[in-house]
Amino acid sequence: MIAVDDGVPAPLGAHFDGRGVNFALFSEHATAVDVCLFEAGERHETRTVRLPCRTDDVWHGYLRGVLPGQLYGYRVHGPWDPASGHRFNASKLVLDPYAREIRGRIRWHDALYSHRRGGREDRIDRRDSAVYMPKCVVTAPEVPDLALTPVRRPLAETVVYEAHVKALTRTHPDIPEAERGTYGALAHPAIIAHLVRLGVTALELLPIHAFADDRFLVEKGLVNFWGYQPLGYFAPEPRYLGEGGLGGLKAAIRELNAAGIETWLDVVYNHTAEGDHTGPTLSFRGIDNASYYKLDPADPRRTIDCTGCGNTFDASHPRVMQLVLDSLRHWVTAYGIAGFRFDLASSLGRAPFAFTPQAAFFQAVAQDPVLARVKMVAEPWDIGEGGYQLGGYPRGWSEWNDKFRDAARGFWKGDSGTLAKVTQGLTGSREVFAPSRRSPLASVNFIASHDGFTLADTVAYEQKHNEANGEDNRDGHNHNVSRNYGVEGDTDDTAILALRARQKRNMLATMMLAQGVPMLLMGDERSRSQGGNNNAYAQDNPTSWMDWSVDPDPALTDFVANLLALRRAQPALRRRRFFTGALIDPDEPLRDVHWLSPEGTEMEGRHWSDDGLQVFGMQIGNDGDPGDRLLMLFNAGEGAVPFRLAPVVGGPWTPVFDTGEPAGARAPGTPAVESGAAVPLPGRTVLVLTAPGTETGNRGGWVPER
């Protein structure tokens, strides 16, 4: 027996208190809201209840007798007036934006659209959409779990591994077949052992908020594999639940925490799966289109598209911003998430249309007692006017540094005029981040990410090969900064394969030796290829999956592990302050950074203005210990160079890491090089040397993989 009472307007969503459920839904422009209750397997609702109260634009009611597990959705009444931005249609079942669990998948049909599809877009469609919609699930109250408390590693010690839940685990032979591709598989000892061996400290998952498969993809037999089409911001994507349900995700995060690995989420608060004004009505559009989306002031029937996905979520609206903040806090408190990477983050800083680092959203995050302790990383652009904002975010935020990616790729492929750009990246991109009073840790450095070529494809393809996406290779960008070294794609030529392997090591070394926070793409340590597809968002198949059965470059995993061990052992590689050129020891002419030419002198203007220069040295010190000194020599040219060690930087110097070696680490006992002597520096090589007193093996426990 269900009894209806007024209930309360907060918290938003459906909350069980032991006797019943309080339903609360924000809609500023609605005239009435019905909650619809469904039984499993039924096509239509078995009961509809009009929410009896409205308080501050929140519609609410208490249904005594409703229990966890109940399936539900909403029908929202209001004006059908597209010219004014209102698209209410109570014939359409809509999802609760605060639903903690969503069951089922969208079954694409024209009834999912509020307007008559294929005709006049302002003509209403009265067909019932419930049978084609997934349903929300009432969940039991969250129970605090101390094991889900984030590890909270310092940002200076962070190494990010970007991965996809299914792609990472789908083919691993040690994981039971039924568990592969699920949240629970992330907790498998084989996965955790691999991440620990590498030295990863943060696993960043591609979107796991409940998301939709675009209709045009489904009609082609494809899916939205990456998940950048959100349906709900509180519910994990159900296709990865497996037998463990919601508990499987929590169990995985507990095990990752126990291994010292944080869990980060890639989150998409810039747009939703409802597309532009001709798109379906699944949730926000039917609840209050004019509040949730940025509309064109000159023509409110249309959405403003700063995202390339048809709409832009309006985080400048107080209630929409509340939803985003509530969602973020939920993932931290209920699941133990330690960091967020914000897709197209510039959209969140538009107040209301132009980007500003003083946007209310950024201020709210900084003042929030939960979120202020969480790592925040921006993808610092969207496609709207003034959307590219690298370096423009406020203190407390880090940013994906695509300039670092392009400079490192360009330097090693032999592009002219890249030396100054790559050295800027090695120092933490001071010119980019210092104006906003941030440190090198604001720069998240990467060579490859989910979006674009993998590392292996960066050295094997010069053109994108996206034909499998069904868009005649028009999708994906053309700015790949890549080189195939003589053959496009696969080859049996041993010389080309050796060169490709060396260039992969050089780019990885450049990233891991740079100031800032390094991010490794899933599978780059195993030379994972996508066959030249630089936009594999629709490929839920071996194109995207990690192939655990084949390792084209078996030594590369050891190389990455050794490189990260060196980074852990060297505080000079993990500075919290920018280099200034200041003296670090008053008794010696040692500055925190020296730029060296192969002639044994410090680099001068003529060196920096030489667009063809491909060889340089970088000697750095730790700002807390003058004895910690590191010398890094870079040669992107094809020929060997005798690199003379300038007396000003001291010595003798012991080579400890060499990208000419498959596993990177030089054998113990490698002879030291005296100050003033020349080091043979082969072409396409990074060589790392240490000075006496600099620890490479004890601090951080550096044991080279062999």
Side-chain angles (χ1 to χ4, degrees):
M1 181 67 179
I2 296 176
V4 182
D5 200 350
D6 289 352
V8 291
L12 293 168
H15 294 272
F16 178 68
D17 65 0
R19 302 178 66 196
V21 177
N22 189 83
F23 292 91
L25 178 74
F26 161 75
S27 180
E28 180 180 351
H29 300 101
T31 56
V33 175
D34 297 332
V35 60
C36 304
L37 306 181
F38 294 80
E39 297 302 321
E42 295 294 327
R43 292 170 60 88
H44 301 285
E45 57 261 50
T46 55
R47 180 160 183 176
T48 299
V49 177
R50 177 67 51 88
L51 294 182
C53 292
R54 177 178 184 171
T55 304
D56 297 331
D57 296 327
V58 175
W59 303 81
H60 55 92
Y62 181 83
L63 277 60
R64 184 174 302 172
V66 173
L67 304 175
Q70 175 67 59
L71 303 179
Y72 74 100
Y74 289 113
R75 297 186 188 275
V76 183
H77 302 262
W80 173 258
D81 184 9
S84 299
H86 301 309
R87 296 179 177 272
F88 293 97
N89 185 343
S91 300
K92 311 305 172 183
L93 187 77
V94 293
L95 298 174
D96 181 357
Y98 278 76
R100 264 53 174 177
E101 182 178 350
I102 294 175
R103 188 169 300 169
R105 304 273 285 273
I106 295 171
R107 296 171 54 210
W108 284 107
H109 189 275
D110 285 354
L112 291 166
Y113 298 77
S114 284
H115 63 282
R116 278 288 177 180
R117 191 164 182 261
R120 290 177 53 188
E121 66 92 14
D122 59 352
R123 183 183 176 192
I124 195 168
D125 185 318
R126 301 288 186 184
R127 287 175 290 184
D128 191 344
S129 69
V131 69
Y132 307 106
M133 284 288 292
K135 308 301 186 293
C136 306
V137 184
V138 174
T139 58
E142 297 287 349
V143 178
D145 186 341
L146 293 178
L148 286 175
T149 302
V151 181
R152 302 197 190 284
R153 283 183 175 271
L155 197 56
E157 298 176 6
T158 298
V159 178
V160 184
Y161 189 85
E162 188 197 32
H164 185 284
V165 171
K166 184 175 182 179
L168 178 62
T169 64
R170 176 62 182 82
T171 72
H172 202 293
D174 294 341
I175 301 175
E177 181 67 36
E179 191 178 343
R180 296 177 190 175
T182 70
Y183 298 121
L186 297 173
H188 194 278
I191 297 297
I192 292 179
H194 180 72
L195 299 177
V196 170
R197 177 190 175 192
L198 289 176
V200 167
T201 70
L203 175 63
E204 179 180 306
L205 299 175
L206 265 65
I208 64 168
H209 287 163
F211 61 86
D213 293 318
D214 312 69
R215 183 172 185 170
F216 78 93
L217 289 176
V218 173
E219 291 172 348
K220 293 177 181 178
L222 300 171
V223 297
N224 191 316
F225 187 56
W226 285 352
Y228 289 92
Q229 286 288 32
L231 273 177
Y233 292 116
F234 292 77
E237 168 54 38
R239 72 189 75 184
Y240 307 136
L241 287 175
E243 296 179 357
L246 299 179
L249 176 57
K250 294 182 180 181
I253 295 172
R254 280 195 294 269
E255 293 303 312
L256 288 164
N257 281 347
I261 299 172
E262 298 178 331
T263 303
W264 295 11
L265 296 186
D266 190 333
V267 289
V268 188
Y269 296 109
N270 59 81
H271 77 280
T272 78
E274 293 182 308
D276 66 11
H277 66 288
T278 66
T281 292
L282 308 172
S283 181
F284 309 97
R285 174 165 290 134
I287 295 171
D288 195 346
N289 184 67
S291 293
Y292 281 106
Y293 295 120
K294 291 186 184 293
L295 304 182
D296 184 349
D299 184 6
R301 75 179 62 236
R302 300 180 181 276
T303 53
I304 290 177
D305 183 9
C306 296
T307 65
C309 299
N311 64 61
T312 304
F313 216 44
D314 190 3
S316 66
H317 188 291
R319 285 292 189 177
V320 180
M321 182 172 69
Q322 177 190 354
L323 182 147
V324 175
L325 295 171
D326 286 347
S327 169
L328 291 169
R329 280 191 295 268
H330 170 71
W331 288 97
V332 174
T333 58
Y335 289 93
I337 297 304
F340 297 98
R341 179 266 189 189
F342 290 79
D343 180 65
L344 301 180
S346 292
S347 294
L348 294 168
R350 293 183 177 274
F353 301 113
F355 177 87
T356 172
Q358 286 78 45
F361 172 73
F362 298 134
Q363 297 183 33
V365 167
Q367 297 171 20
D368 189 283
V370 173
L371 301 181
R373 302 170 59 202
V374 175
K375 298 177 179 71
M376 298 286 180
V377 178
E379 182 183 40
W381 52 78
D382 63 19
I383 68 165
E385 184 177 355
Y388 187 78
Q389 290 291 332
L390 180 66
Y393 282 72
R395 297 176 73 179
W397 284 73
S398 297
E399 303 174 33
W400 270 26
N401 190 344
D402 63 320
K403 288 185 176 180
F404 178 95
R405 175 199 63 199
D406 292 351
R409 288 188 180 190
F411 178 72
W412 288 108
K413 75 185 278 279
D415 291 349
S416 63
T418 55
L419 184 142
K421 296 176 182 177
V422 80
T423 55
Q424 180 186 89
L426 285 167
T427 58
S429 299
R430 177 189 180 96
E431 294 83 351
V432 175
F433 298 107
S436 55
R437 300 176 62 197
R438 288 179 289 165
S439 76
L441 301 177
S443 182
V444 175
N445 302 323
F446 62 103
I447 298 296
S449 70
H450 70 274
D451 191 4
F453 279 158
T454 66
L455 176 66
D457 287 352
T458 300
V459 297
Y461 295 91
E462 295 184 5
Q463 306 295 327
K464 65 185 181 183
H465 297 270
N466 299 354
E467 290 81 5
N469 296 347
E471 299 180 44
D472 298 322
N473 208 35
R474 294 188 303 269
D475 63 304
H477 55 74
N478 297 312
H479 182 64
N480 294 303
V481 196
S482 61
R483 187 174 175 184
N484 64 26
Y485 297 99
V487 175
E488 184 77 352
D490 293 338
T491 181
D492 294 327
D493 189 308
T494 55
I496 292 176
L497 291 174
L499 179 53
R500 288 176 177 178
R502 192 181 191 103
Q503 292 292 65
K504 285 182 288 185
R505 297 194 296 268
N506 285 328
M507 287 187 279
L508 287 169
T510 303
M511 176 177 69
M512 299 301 185
L513 297 173
Q515 302 298 317
V517 179
M519 186 186 79
L520 182 68
L521 173 63
M522 178 198 80
D524 277 354
E525 75 281 8
R526 293 175 59 87
S527 289
R528 184 178 70 90
S529 170
Q530 294 179 168
N533 191 324
N534 74 355
N535 188 35
Y537 77 105
Q539 302 300 317
D540 182 6
N541 53 50
T543 297
S544 296
W545 301 341
M546 176 93 95
D547 186 349
W548 291 97
S549 66
V550 177
D551 191 347
D553 189 353
L556 192 57
T557 299
D558 289 344
F559 178 87
V560 172
N562 286 331
L563 188 55
L564 286 175
L566 176 65
R567 183 179 175 87
R568 286 195 303 275
Q570 289 287 343
L573 295 174
R574 298 178 278 107
R575 292 171 56 99
R576 291 172 170 83
R577 293 186 292 181
F578 285 112
F579 295 111
T580 64
L583 292 173
I584 59 174
D585 187 339
D587 298 324
E588 296 186 54
L590 288 175
R591 295 190 294 276
D592 55 9
V593 61
H594 292 266
W595 298 105
L596 306 172
S597 73
E599 295 83 20
T601 62
E602 292 203 61
M603 290 176 62
E604 302 170 346
R606 61 185 176 87
H607 297 106
W608 295 110
S609 62
D610 184 353
D611 285 346
L613 188 62
Q614 296 178 294
V615 185
F616 69 94
M618 180 184 182
Q619 185 267 317
I620 61 175
N622 174 22
D623 56 2
D625 185 352
D628 276 328
R629 295 182 233 158
L630 203 64
L631 177 59
M632 298 174 285
L633 308 181
F634 297 80
N635 182 5
E638 297 182 14
V641 173
F643 202 110
R644 189 166 300 282
L645 303 186
V648 70
V649 298
W653 294 93
T654 302
V656 295
F657 202 85
D658 183 350
T659 60
E661 300 284 341
R666 279 288 188 96
T670 300
V673 181
E674 294 296 332
S675 176
V679 175
L681 185 63
R684 292 174 171 142
T685 295
V686 179
L687 182 63
V688 182
L689 307 94
T690 59
T694 303
E695 299 186 40
T696 60
N698 296 328
R699 186 183 303 154
W702 187 37
V703 179
E705 297 278 353
R706 291 294 179 193

